[in-house]
């Protein structure tokens, strides 16, 4: 299936505006000021792992001018905050409260989509979900999921909005009238990232003895300007590498600070190397070298899959908030494109607290060009095999 890039951009913007309407309805109910943080369009493939988070919420079926489903999900602490405002002291009201709040927010969200499509959208009564909202992801033929994260200005509440149209709706929403990208090619992009991330995890284990696995991979379509916000204010330690030849863009390998210290400790046994809470020069060099090996093996796997050579820059050490690390990269990409296909993977250890995030921010036009050259049959049989240590 071919998807028009400009229509995908427009649909992403509409999802963002719909989430803003939902947030304003919640603010009107609770007098809690809210704002939409990030809206992504997730591209699903057979290899995509669904991140399962404990939360509560509602799922609402859509019919008429747009068929599919939408979901509004809250972490437990957000429900407590809403209850404190609307029904203080009434813990047994949580389910009915979530149903009512979700129903009110859905009205604003769906009305925005109906206006955008120039149609009428019918909604079902809300189905309450407690614990794991995987009902949203049950249908294998749903390829795109529009997802928005919403938070309160005072950080007292947060929730997520998802819209998952049925596959038969894509012709109207995303039909190929202009510059296009193949959904199958985006699935190959996800598979390439998963294969490369698996090799990265194996290299971490080989060098440090910390057993790691790839937990999640995503391909998302996101406004370039929102990439820093998606990385957030958490502090990371890692490396940034620029792809100097097609598909262009950047690769980021980022550890949270605790994981960075665990990694450097495993690479430098007996070297405490800590000064005033900062990583020592020796620790920085160790992480930079590990990041270089990890990124090189990841890119080698991509080059093998694409049957090409990809030149990369020397790694740049980074120790800062995620948004600050991404800002200069986004400024460079933003000169040529408004949206980006972002591939990310999370690598975690089985027995110890450990978190490594791998982000790929390619040049959109160059990515589409190289993916279009892939042979689908050959790609399905090809495995990303970067050199192991």
């Amino acid at each position: 299936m071919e998807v028009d890039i400009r229509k995908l951009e427009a649909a992403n913007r509409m999802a963002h505006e719909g989430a803003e309407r939902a947030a304003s309805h919640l603010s009107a109910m609770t007098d809690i000021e809210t704002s939409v943080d990030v809206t992504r369009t997730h591209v699903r493939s057979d290899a995509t792992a669904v991140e399962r988070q404990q939360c509560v919420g509602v799922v609402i079926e859509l019919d008429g001018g747009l068929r599919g489903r939408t979901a509004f999900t809250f972490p437990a602490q957000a429900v407590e905050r809403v209850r404190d405002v609307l029904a203080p002291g009434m813990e047994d009201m949580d389910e009915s409260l979530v149903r009512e709040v979700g129903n009110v927010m859905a009205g604003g969200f769906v009305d925005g989509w109906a206006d955008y499509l120039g149609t009428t959208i019918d909604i079902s009564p809300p189905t309450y979900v407690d614990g794991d909202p995987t009902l949203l992801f049950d249908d294998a033929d749903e390829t795109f999921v529009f997802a928005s994260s919403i938070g309160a200005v005072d950080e007292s509440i947060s929730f997520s909005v998802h819209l998952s149209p049925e596959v038969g709706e894509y012709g109207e929403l995303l039909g190929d009238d202009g510059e296009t990208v193949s959904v199958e090619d985006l699935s190959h992009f996800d598979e390439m990232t998963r294969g490369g991330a698996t090799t990265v995890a194996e290299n971490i284990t080989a060098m440090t003895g910390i057993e790691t696995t790839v937990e999640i991979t995503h391909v998302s379509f996101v406004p370039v300007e929102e990439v820093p916000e998606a990385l957030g204010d958490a502090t990371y330690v890692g490396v940034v590498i620029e792809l100097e030849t097609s598909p262009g863009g950047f690769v980021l390998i980022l550890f949270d600070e605790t994981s960075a210290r665990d990694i450097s400790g495993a690479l430098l046994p007996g070297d405490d190397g800590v000064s005033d809470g900062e990583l020592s020069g020796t620790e920085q060099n160790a992480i930079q070298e590990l990041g270089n090996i990890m990124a090189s093996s990841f890119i080698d796997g991509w080059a093998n899959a694409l049957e090409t050579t990809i030149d990369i820059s020397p790694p740049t050490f980074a120790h800062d908030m995620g948004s600050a690390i991404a800002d200069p990269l986004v400024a460079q990409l933003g000169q040529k494109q408004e949206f980006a296909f972002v591939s990310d993977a999370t690598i975690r250890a089985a027995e110890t607290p450990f978190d490594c995030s791998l982000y790929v921010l390619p040049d959109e036009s160059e990515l589409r060009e190289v993916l279009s050259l892939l042979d689908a049959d050959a790609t399905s049989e090809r495995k990303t095999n970067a050199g192991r240590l």
Side-chain angles (χ1 to χ4, degrees):
M1 181 175 70
E2 297 290 325
V3 173
D4 188 310
I5 296 296
R6 303 287 83 81
K7 286 189 175 180
L8 188 58
E9 292 178 359
N12 186 281
R13 292 190 184 98
M14 183 57 245
H16 191 85
E17 292 173 8
E20 288 179 333
R21 291 196 187 197
S24 69
H25 281 216
L26 178 64
S27 296
M29 287 184 71
T30 62
D31 204 28
I32 299 172
E33 188 178 353
T34 58
S35 62
V36 181
D37 297 329
V38 173
T39 298
R40 292 168 169 253
T41 302
H42 294 301
V43 183
R44 297 184 61 209
S45 73
D46 292 340
T48 300
V50 176
E51 187 170 9
R52 303 181 185 276
Q53 296 178 332
Q54 295 299 108
C55 58
V56 298
V58 295
V59 174
I60 295 171
E61 301 293 333
L62 308 179
D63 205 349
L66 178 64
R67 290 170 292 123
R69 64 187 59 172
T70 186
F72 298 82
T73 55
F74 304 80
Q77 61 269 27
V79 176
E80 292 174 7
R81 177 72 174 101
V82 172
R83 186 208 312 139
D84 289 343
V85 173
L86 298 180
M90 302 182 69
E91 286 81 359
D92 58 346
M93 290 287 291
D94 280 2
E95 180 173 338
S96 59
L97 188 66
V98 169
R99 286 179 185 271
E100 179 60 23
V101 170
N103 198 43
V104 169
M105 290 192 300
F109 182 73
V110 173
D111 283 350
W113 277 95
D115 291 345
Y116 171 68
L117 296 172
T119 187
T120 300
I121 301 174
D122 302 320
I123 63 175
S124 72
T127 299
Y128 181 71
V129 177
D130 184 0
D132 183 5
T134 52
L135 175 62
L136 178 68
F137 300 98
D138 283 346
D139 293 343
D141 63 351
E142 293 174 344
T143 305
F144 293 97
V145 177
F146 301 93
S148 299
S149 300
I150 299 169
V153 173
D154 63 1
E155 299 183 353
S156 62
I157 191 172
S158 62
F159 68 95
S160 298
V161 181
H162 291 78
L163 170 67
S164 183
E166 290 184 5
V167 70
E169 301 294 287
Y170 296 137
E172 177 70 21
L173 281 175
L174 309 172
D176 53 336
D177 295 335
E179 293 184 337
T180 63
V181 63
S182 163
V183 172
E184 291 74 18
D185 288 344
L186 292 177
S187 295
H188 297 155
F189 181 35
D190 181 57
E191 292 162 8
M192 287 162 54
T193 300
R194 173 167 287 274
T198 298
T199 300
V200 167
E202 292 170 351
N203 284 348
I204 292 175
T205 300
M207 292 190 70
T208 67
I210 300 172
E211 291 292 333
T212 59
T213 58
V214 178
E215 185 168 290
I216 301 162
T217 63
H218 292 125
V219 172
S220 302
F221 189 67
V222 61
V224 169
E225 63 184 16
E226 291 186 6
V227 171
E229 196 166 357
L231 289 178
D233 294 334
T235 300
Y236 294 97
V237 180
V239 297
V240 176
I241 291 178
E242 183 173 3
L243 307 184
E244 297 180 330
T245 55
S246 186
F250 302 91
V251 173
L252 295 76
I253 295 178
L254 305 175
F255 301 93
D256 64 40
E257 287 188 302
T258 299
S259 300
R261 294 200 179 281
D262 290 343
I263 283 285
S264 61
L267 293 172
L268 304 166
D271 184 339
D272 55 29
V274 181
S275 173
D276 297 326
E278 297 293 328
L279 291 167
S280 69
T282 304
E283 289 176 311
Q284 292 184 25
N285 289 338
I287 292 172
Q288 187 165 348
E289 179 58 26
L290 175 63
N292 186 37
I293 292 171
M294 292 163 60
S296 296
S297 63
F298 178 83
I299 296 303
D300 284 349
W302 266 33
N304 291 341
L306 296 171
E307 298 181 347
T308 187
T309 299
I310 301 174
D311 296 329
I312 63 176
S313 69
T316 299
F317 179 78
H319 185 184
D320 208 333
M321 293 188 302
S323 55
I325 294 171
D327 273 334
L329 315 182
V330 164
Q332 187 169 332
L333 282 177
Q335 295 176 13
K336 298 191 294 181
Q337 60 195 70
E338 293 184 46
F339 280 73
F341 286 104
V342 178
S343 183
D344 62 272
T346 301
I347 299 170
R348 294 207 170 107
E351 299 179 356
T352 59
F354 181 92
D355 197 358
C356 175
S357 298
L358 189 153
Y359 294 90
V360 185
L361 311 176
D363 179 288
E364 178 203 307
S365 59
E366 291 188 29
L367 175 68
R368 285 190 284 115
E369 183 177 349
V370 297
L371 289 178
S372 68
L373 299 176
L374 284 171
D375 179 89
D377 293 333
T379 302
S380 65
E381 299 174 358
R382 189 183 295 126
K383 185 177 179 180
T384 304
N385 287 318
R388 291 176 172 76
L389 301 177

